[in-house]
Amino acid sequence: MNYYLAIDIGASSGRHMLSWIEDGKIRLEEIHRFYNGMDTVDGHLCWDHERLFAEIIAGMKKCAELGKIPVSMGIDTWAVDYVLLDTNDTILGRTYAYRDHRTDNSDADVYDHISLSDLYARTGIQKQPFNTIYQLMAAKVQEPEVLAQAETMLMVPDYYNFRLTGIKKQEYTNATTTQLVNAETNDWDEELIATLGFPRKIFQPICLPGTAVGSLTDDIAKEVGFTCTVMLPATHDTGSAVLSVPSTEKDTLYISSGTWSLMGCELSKANTSPESMRRNFTNEGGYNYQYRYLKNIMGLWMIQEVRKEIAPELSFGEICDLAARSSISSTVDANDGRFLSPANMTAAVQDYCRETHQDVPETIGDLAAVIYNSLAQCYAKTVEEIESITGVTYPCVNIVGGGANADYLNRLTAKACRKPVKAGPTEATAIGNVVAQMLANKELSDVSAARELIGTSFDVKYYSL
């Protein structure tokens, strides 16, 4: 029996999931879970990579303790964030988190060199203030001495792979979120990088999911008690999640629902049209050069923050139940920039309702109802936009990820989108991670076979109109 290890690190938590195929089904076993979060360092939001890498090692040790040694392992994380390494492979400067405000005015500095429309036509990536392109411009303007010393840039999962193997590889799906990859060539846009004045030498060759990085170093193998091959899954967690969408239909509409809600479809060619840019859609790289044509919607981050602020004793299921009993009709624009990283999410929601002359939510149930209804409205608007741009009418909405457990939101989504909803699997990112490894190991023949097996291996709930 072949075991595969997925290390899935999100913005708020991480976990190690062992997987294998048994009795014709994919099995999953969580063996380690740990906290993640942004730390404030000198007034900036940063990641603690030493703590996170220690958790990676701690979870790997549990494989040896269980006697379940993986043939391969893969790491996926959030997108856009990176580390800069000097000639000694030491991290330079702070390791900023994407919600940090250092990029607030970096877009203007980028547009001094290239217009937004030309940038979109080249890369197909929607404008988000935290995209790597704006982070690197902030580094160039605010910390030029750091960028000048940089020998290598690695996206977060690629950095952890380097720590494990001593080998530097840049994975494709995460690379596309930098807004520096050309949508036609699927490679770094050399002209764009030169135009912006970024050092070309820091960008590593791009590799597809399914590429082997290498074996664990001798020191790491000795520490964890085994060796295995480190593989590249789709290292952007949404890329892995979309690979696990169980539908084998060509025309599939999905929501990868978690801290963010990523709603879209798969395209074989990027759509970089002015209309696509105007509606703020993005063409992120997917498995086997498919494009994840989607829109970023703020997602369950808003609920997570409100819960932390006023009702930490309640579970998300309890909050969902309270929201379902609320009668408040107020809504907010979930994509409003004020909800990206507010000092207080509760106050941000309340202020929006107050400014728009709606009833102001006070209780956790009312606040949750406002957020859930607002998300459902955003989903419905996005469906209309996707169908208008692609000319395709989609038969249903497939929700994968932790948000697939949000029963109330699923019901609201079906009603708002006027389409049936399939919800599941909930462990979408980990499943997509291990499936990429299984495909590389020839245990699964192709993506269609993988998705069909996912559909029969995990529970999927159905919500009718």
Side-chain angles (χ1 to χ4, degrees), residues 167-199:
I167 298 170
K168 300 172 183 176
K169 287 189 184 293
Q170 170 64 64
E171 188 273 329
Y172 168 68
T173 67
N174 223 314
T176 63
T177 70
T178 64
Q179 208 169 356
L180 291 165
V181 172
N182 188 286
E184 289 289 334
T185 66
N186 294 311
D187 203 351
W188 297 116
D189 191 317
E190 305 275 355
E191 184 178 355
L192 175 60
I193 289 169
T195 296
L196 296 170
F198 299 154

Side-chain angles (χ1 to χ4, degrees), residues 306-319 322 364:
V306 168
R307 174 183 177 268
K308 182 169 66 176
E309 290 162 1
I310 67 172
E313 75 283 358
L314 296 179
S315 69
F316 289 111
E318 290 170 326
I319 291 173
L322 291 172
I364 183 63

